[in-house]
Amino acid sequence: MRIIIERDAVCAADDTSWHCEEFTIPDGITIAGLFEFLEFKYIPVIAGNNVVWALYHQDVEVGTYFTKIQSFINGNVPLSSIINNSERDNTFYLRYYSPDRYRKRFI
């Protein structure tokens, strides 16, 4: 299965890079599996490793990865079900948050 992912820049130096890439992933991959796949190929390393990556599809948050505690929201959801329920749209966006900034979205 092919997906397209774009992500936020994480610092000023990162702004100069293009952040949209296409990946071929296994058909049965879950959201947790996608984050594990991307962690060493695409997601930048952040000092302290205490960040939150939220995965969006069509402007809806579909999954979240807390790097410090290696925990997921909706980690068991198959990516194929998200794509199949959206008329085959395979484009995703990764948004970067500090843990405090992520929590404040719900207050």
Side-chain angles (χ1 to χ4, degrees):
M1 174 169 55
R2 292 183 160 293
I3 61 169
I4 298 167
I5 299 184
E6 188 171 354
R7 70 166 172 81
D8 283 346
V10 297
C11 66
D14 194 34
D15 285 341
T16 62
S17 301
W18 181 250
H19 301 116
C20 187
E21 291 193 35
E22 185 173 346
F23 294 96
T24 301
I25 56 172
D27 287 342
I29 199 167
T30 62
I31 288 175
L34 177 66
F35 278 114
E36 290 165 353
F37 175 84
L38 295 175
E39 191 163 27
F40 299 107
K41 296 176 178 12
Y42 181 68
I43 296 175
V45 176
I46 310 293
N49 197 33
N50 189 16
V51 300
V52 179
W53 287 99
L55 181 66
Y56 286 83
H57 183 261
Q58 296 181 338
D59 295 325
V60 175
E61 186 177 328
V62 295
T64 311
Y65 175 40
F66 300 85
T67 60
K68 186 169 187 172
I69 59 174
Q70 295 184 330
S71 179
F72 305 94
I73 295 175
N74 294 333
N76 292 328
V77 173
L79 219 57
S80 59
S81 70
I82 296 167
I83 293 169
N84 291 338
N85 290 332
S86 68
E87 299 179 7
R88 312 284 306 156
D89 180 10
N90 67 339
T91 305
F92 293 86
Y93 191 85
L94 277 177
R95 184 152 288 139
Y96 162 80
Y97 295 98
S98 69
D100 289 339
R101 194 170 132 222
Y102 184 78
R103 277 191 292 273
K104 287 179 182 176
R105 297 176 44 236
F106 301 103
I107 296 175

